[in-house]
Amino acid sequence: MKHVCPHCQQPGVSNAALRWSTREGPAQCGDCGGLSHVLASTANAIGVFTWMTPIGGLVLGAALASVGVVVAGLLVAGLGNVWMWRRCELFPTERKTAQTARRVGWAAALVSAVMAFLG
């Protein structure tokens, strides 16, 4: 499945690129080469939904001794995940912004590692 690029308005961003796109590592359009990303809050919310739905189904299924509830939880999680990723909006990113975000991310990781080592 391809997603619409916010730069050229053509379906040039692959599904895998959309799912892994961040400000630090944006997805690249196959048509125009433009960079874009999904908001981190959106990706995190989809991840939480995808994990919490089957866990809730397992707990509820165990409490009710029902395999059907567990299967329903797994189906809702899978179908919901696909549906939400299809509806995600891509936001344009400039190359310089992506490079700066990558540097800031590495700097934050380095500071955290030093503080953990010294702390």
Side-chain angles (χ1 to χ4, degrees):
M1 180 175 168
K2 296 278 187 172
H3 299 271
V4 175
C5 171
H7 297 282
C8 66
Q9 301 301 315
Q10 298 298 318
V13 180
S14 72
N15 198 33
L18 171 85
R19 285 179 182 249
W20 293 105
S21 65
T22 62
R23 194 178 291 270
E24 297 88 14
Q28 186 169 5
C29 176
D31 291 337
C32 71
L35 301 178
S36 56
H37 70 285
V38 173
L39 293 179
S41 59
T42 302
N44 291 341
I46 294 172
V48 168
F49 170 82
T50 302
W51 284 105
M52 294 308 293
T53 304
I55 289 171
L58 285 172
V59 170
L60 188 60
L64 298 174
S66 172
V67 175
V69 173
V70 174
V71 171
L74 292 172
L75 284 173
V76 168
L79 294 173
N81 182 291
V82 170
W83 179 76
M84 286 185 278
W85 277 113
R86 284 187 177 179
R87 294 180 48 106
C88 278
E89 185 178 353
L90 285 166
F91 293 89
T93 302
E94 294 179 17
R95 290 187 192 284
K96 188 171 182 173
T97 303
Q99 291 169 348
T100 302
R102 195 173 304 116
R103 280 191 219 112
V104 169
W106 279 107
L110 178 63
V111 169
S112 297
V114 169
M115 289 178 66
F117 182 70
L118 297 177

